[in-house]
Amino acid sequence: MSETAVLDLGSQSGPTVAIAFGGGGARGYAHIHVIEVLDELGIRPVAISGASIGGIMGAAMASGMSGQEIRQYALDLAGNRTEVLRRFLRSKSGSLRTLFSKEDSFAQLDAQDVLKAFLPEQIKETFEDLLIPTSISATDYYSYKECVFESGDLFTALAASASIPFVFQPVKHRERFLVDGGIFNPVPYDHLHDKADIIIGIDIIGTPSGDPTKRPRAIDSAYGASQLMMQSILSHKLALSPPDIFLRPNVSKYRVQDFFKAQQILADSEGVRDELRRALDQAIEKAS
């Protein structure tokens, strides 16, 4: 990308950028590349949207964390299993009581407790404290609709958006029960329309991977079916109204829970950096 193009994007007179970070569990480490590239180019989004892990990454960026800071935090935590266990045990969810209950053979974790134990302290408490306007998507379980947070308590929104069924219990908010935002809107770039000249959407859902001659394990089948469902939703959205830039980092071989594989996921998805730079060049030229 030329220096002129970068400066134009960084100035108020140039085209503005908004970004939507998609959901996908540990595959969301790939979002770090996108944040780092924007940092390197001096581009500060005018708006951010996110679902699930994408909401967490977006909130970190909107709180003022750089891509390098997010990368270092993720790698330090993923590389220290002892620290991960310590934080989990210190959270309210970290007890044997949360693992088994009379109602279910496996009791789901409390997403708010877990997030408060593991997210960096730099993340703000409320939407109003964020440096960039941000929206976080969750799914209203009983009403079959999307619930979009844009104000108030940030951790409630992040917990609701990241509440993957079976792993986390639904989050109760205003007498409604909310679950993973990626179920209803995997990459919520539609919430950014008319908010910027260039809209970027990042899909880290992936697709089921493995040996096609072998029957998938139960847990892989469940997660894989979720991937197929979300990709179907996304395909319809893209056919109707795609973002200006749409990226799919190379993350399909990783599972949603592979949080200890941060280094590998970052290495395999590094190609998205050059892809984003080229796409921005084209978008800038088109917008000029």
Side-chain angles (χ1 to χ4, degrees):
M1 180 179 292
S2 66
E3 183 176 356
T4 301
V6 174
L7 292 176
D8 281 346
L9 270 176
S11 68
Q12 292 183 351
S13 60
T16 54
V17 171
I19 184 165
F21 295 103
R27 296 184 290 267
Y29 286 130
H31 288 316
I32 294 173
H33 290 301
V34 175
I35 299 172
E36 287 178 332
V37 168
L38 295 179
D39 288 344
E40 291 164 8
L41 299 178
I43 299 171
R44 177 174 170 172
V46 296
I48 291 172
S49 66
S52 199
I53 188 68
I56 293 171
M57 288 291 181
M61 186 183 194
S63 294
M65 292 185 72
S66 68
Q68 279 293 315
E69 288 173 329
I70 299 171
R71 173 189 286 263
Q72 195 58 56
Y73 186 88
L75 290 176
D76 287 347
L77 195 57
N80 191 339
R81 291 175 183 259
T82 300
E83 175 63 11
V84 169
L85 179 60
R86 185 186 70 81
R87 292 192 185 207
F88 179 71
L89 292 176
R90 286 182 61 186
S91 74
K92 293 179 182 178
S93 291
S95 66
L96 291 177
R97 181 181 59 81
T98 64
L99 298 181
F100 297 95
S101 72
K102 294 179 181 179
E103 182 180 357
D104 303 294
S105 60
F106 181 85
Q108 298 160 306
L109 302 175
D110 186 307
Q112 287 181 281
D113 290 340
V114 173
L115 290 187
K116 287 180 178 178
F118 285 95
L119 293 189
E121 61 183 13
Q122 292 96 319
I123 293 184
K124 306 297 184 182
E125 293 288 334
T126 70
F127 281 88
E128 289 75 17
D129 293 329
L130 296 175
L131 305 177
I132 302 171
T134 300
S135 64
I136 305 296
S137 296
T139 300
D140 188 322
Y141 184 81
Y142 286 111
S143 295
Y144 186 63
K145 65 181 181 181
E146 184 178 15
C147 177
V148 182
F149 290 86
E150 295 181 311
S151 63
D153 183 70
L154 182 59
F155 274 82
T156 297
L158 294 178
S161 186
S163 289
I164 301 172
F166 183 75
V167 178
F168 294 108
Q169 59 185 264
V171 171
K172 188 176 183 180
H173 177 69
R174 296 179 179 176
E175 304 307 315
R176 307 304 303 176
F177 288 97
L178 308 176
V179 296
D180 188 354
I183 292 175
F184 200 95
N185 197 346
V187 187
Y189 62 82
D190 46 306
H191 298 309
L192 302 175
H193 287 323
D194 301 323
K195 292 188 177 181
D197 300 310
I198 299 172
I199 308 298
I200 303 172
I202 315 296
D203 168 24
I204 47 92
I205 300 167
T207 54
S209 63
D211 187 343
T213 66
K214 296 182 178 179
R215 189 189 308 273
R217 298 183 305 165
I219 187 66
D220 291 331
S221 179
Y223 283 136
S226 178
Q227 285 177 292
L228 293 174
M229 175 196 69
M230 289 189 283
Q231 287 292 4
S232 177
I233 293 170
L234 189 53
S235 293
H236 286 290
K237 281 184 59 181
L238 291 171
L240 292 172
S241 180
D244 300 288
I245 297 174
F246 186 72
L247 304 172
R248 278 188 168 127
N250 179 31
V251 291
S252 283
K253 74 178 183 180
Y254 295 101
R255 296 185 174 95
V256 69
Q257 72 272 31
D258 281 343
F259 285 100
F260 287 115
K261 297 182 179 180
Q263 189 69 64
Q264 298 97 308
I265 294 173
L266 283 166
D268 283 344
S269 59
E270 191 169 1
V272 76
R273 301 173 72 93
D274 288 337
E275 188 178 353
L276 174 57
R277 288 177 180 271
R278 290 192 298 270
L280 280 169
D281 263 337
Q282 295 172 3
I284 295 167
E285 185 175 348
K286 182 178 179 181
S288 299

